[in-house]
Amino acid sequence: MSQNDPMQTELIPADITQSHTGALVLSGNWTARTMAGAGQKLAALCDANVAEVVVDGSRLETMDSVGVWILHRQFKEIRNTGRSIRLLDWSSPFLKLLDAVEKQIDMPLPMPPRESSLEKIGKEGEAAWQGMFALLSFIGECAFVLMRIAPHPKRWRWRQVLKNIQIAGFDALPIIGLTAFLLGIVVAYQGSGQLRHYGANIFVVELVGFAMLREFSPLITAIIIAGRSGSAYAAQIGTMVVTEEIDGMRTIGIEPIDFLVLPKIIALIVALPLLTVFADVTGVFGGMIMARSQLGISYHEFLVRFESEIHLSALLIGIGKSFVFAAIIAIIGCYQGFRTKGNADSVGRQTTRSVVQSIFIVIILDSVFSVIFSLLDL
């Protein structure tokens, strides 16, 4: 934004002189290219002892918005001290430019409208509602692709399924085993202190058995897999969205759900129940060790009572839960990966959401299962 730009390439720098006390003469080109030091010089020449500062613009050659902004800032400081400013011999284009810039600078910035608490709750509720329908749509799309390829075994990507079973199942054995083992120790240790008071030491077998097989093993395994494998699914697919690999797959005729989602769902449905059984074994083993050390129950006595008192239904209930948990974790992880918006920050955000939502839904479903099984006397 400039006025009366000269044709020559060499521009006279902006300059300020003082003709007499309180009178400043501006000369040269007050533009972004030639303003070096002009603002500081202008501030130094302004005499604080005069009531009116006269600014002579008769020698100005060119001026742009940068020069006007520097002048406006200095004029504002002068007016704030109670002094007035009089412009002398300014050309009409420069006055119009000064007036336009001053209006824009003094105009207050528009404030975004403040949302009420009720409005925020409404927007969050609407977003959650839309997200729920999007998730149901994704589940339906996965079911449609599954029914389409189910009659054709040759179209199943067994290599991808086996690879995901290794990553989500076999590689997770150490952390699952250690966690379940320590959890079994904790359950037996906390229960032994109370049972000892009533002389009911042997009941620690039922405590460890039912707690681990029905509740803790499937739940803790699902939570660990949600944080380990569910987040990996979201991060992998989200990164492929960012790098446009998903678009490339669609371009060459490969269905992303067929290639990426279904193998992960099938692999996790196979791996999570097996991990749950492994967690049952290690958890009960940890409880058995603690019962031996704290309550004096021998391993043989523990196993005999475990066999007679813990029914097969407890094991089957835990395994049945794990099938549902596996499907939920895999679907939510893949779904959040596809919702990535195209930058690295979005990958991290969707990965976090996949873990939080998976764990939240797993806990909710576990509570629902507990109520249903209680009503059915299972």
Side-chain angles (χ1 to χ4, degrees):
M1 185 174 180
S2 63
Q3 297 286 343
N4 301 331
D5 289 337
M7 297 302 293
Q8 68 264 21
T9 58
E10 293 295 332
L11 300 179
I12 300 175
D15 193 18
I16 310 166
T17 56
Q18 190 172 22
S19 59
H20 58 274
T21 302
L24 303 178
V25 180
L26 308 183
S27 61
N29 299 275
W30 285 64
T31 63
R33 294 173 56 190
T34 58
M35 282 292 298
Q40 293 83 348
K41 189 175 182 181
L42 176 61
L45 291 177
C46 287
D47 193 344
N49 297 322
V50 297
E52 182 184 56
V53 178
V54 179
V55 181
D56 187 349
S58 59
R59 299 182 184 179
L60 284 174
E61 298 186 9
T62 58
M63 180 177 289
D64 63 7
S65 57
V66 175
V68 174
W69 179 79
I70 292 176
L71 286 174
H72 171 77
R73 184 178 62 180
Q74 189 60 41
F75 289 171
K76 186 175 181 180
E77 293 180 1
I78 293 173
R79 293 189 181 101
N80 289 338
T81 60
R83 294 174 290 170
S84 61
I85 297 174
R86 179 163 60 91
L87 302 181
L88 180 64
D89 294 335
W90 280 60
S91 63
S92 177
F94 292 155
L95 290 175
K96 291 180 180 179
L97 179 60
L98 181 63
D99 183 62
V101 172
E102 285 182 347
K103 287 181 179 179
Q104 291 295 325
I105 293 176
D106 295 335
M107 184 181 299
L109 295 176
M111 297 295 294
R114 294 187 60 183
E115 295 181 349
S116 63
S117 299
L118 185 61
E119 187 176 1
K120 291 180 180 179
I121 294 173
K123 288 184 176 181
E124 292 178 359
E126 182 184 6
W129 188 260
Q130 292 177 351
M132 183 184 69
F133 274 100
L135 178 59
L136 291 176
S137 176
F138 182 76
I139 294 173
E141 189 175 358
C142 293
F144 176 77
V145 175
L146 179 61
M147 289 187 296
R148 189 181 63 193
I149 68 172
H152 309 284
K154 292 184 179 180
R155 295 186 59 183
W156 288 81
R157 302 183 182 277
W158 297 110
R159 187 184 298 273
Q160 292 292 327
V161 172
L162 295 176
K163 180 181 178 181
N164 281 283
I165 289 176
Q166 177 186 359
I167 295 173
F170 184 78
D171 293 347
L173 285 176
I175 183 65
I176 296 294
L178 179 60
T179 305
F181 177 77
L182 296 176
L183 187 59
I185 290 178
V186 170
V187 171
Y189 181 78
Q190 295 297 327
S192 63
Q194 301 301 319
L195 295 174
R196 189 185 296 111
H197 291 305
Y198 301 99
N201 295 3
I202 194 62
F203 288 103
V204 72
V205 178
E206 286 90 331
L207 176 63
V208 173
F210 283 112
M212 293 303 301
L213 269 61
R214 290 178 64 102
E215 295 296 334
F216 288 150
S217 289
L219 182 60
I220 198 65
T221 303
I223 291 175
I224 292 174
I225 293 300
R228 185 182 181 277
S229 300
S231 60
Y233 295 165
Q236 178 191 8
I237 295 176
T239 303
M240 295 179 71
V241 171
V242 172
T243 57
E244 300 182 353
E245 293 180 60
I246 300 295
D247 296 333
M249 292 173 61
R250 291 193 177 101
T251 301
I252 62 178
I254 298 177
E255 181 62 42
I257 292 181
D258 182 8
F259 187 77
L260 296 173
V261 178
L262 290 184
K264 290 179 171 57
I265 295 176
I266 295 170
L268 205 57
I269 288 176
V270 173
L272 191 58
L274 297 176
L275 289 172
T276 301
V277 173
F278 181 68
D280 291 336
V281 174
T282 55
V284 171
F285 181 65
M288 186 168 59
I289 292 177
M290 186 55 61
R292 176 72 173 84
S293 63
Q294 293 293 317
L295 299 175
I297 300 174
S298 66
Y299 299 148
H300 179 266
E301 187 179 4
F302 188 99
L303 292 176
V304 169
R305 186 168 181 86
F306 186 90
E307 181 182 1
S308 62
E309 297 297 331
I310 307 300
H311 305 295
L312 182 62
S313 60
L315 176 63
L316 297 180
I317 286 173
I319 295 176
K321 288 181 182 180
S322 65
F323 282 105
V324 180
F325 295 163
I328 291 297
I329 293 169
I331 289 173
I332 291 180
C334 296
Y335 165 73
Q336 293 296 342
F338 280 110
R339 287 178 67 86
T340 304
K341 298 301 182 182
N343 55 67
D345 181 65
S346 181
V347 174
R349 185 166 54 252
Q350 297 307 126
T351 301
T352 303
R353 287 180 180 175
S354 72
V355 176
V356 173
Q357 290 183 3
S358 298
I359 295 176
F360 178 75
I361 294 177
V362 162
I363 294 175
I364 293 295
L365 288 177
D366 187 67
S367 302
V368 172
F369 284 141
S370 297
V371 174
I372 292 175
F373 294 148
S374 177
L375 293 175
L376 297 176
D377 291 329
L378 293 177

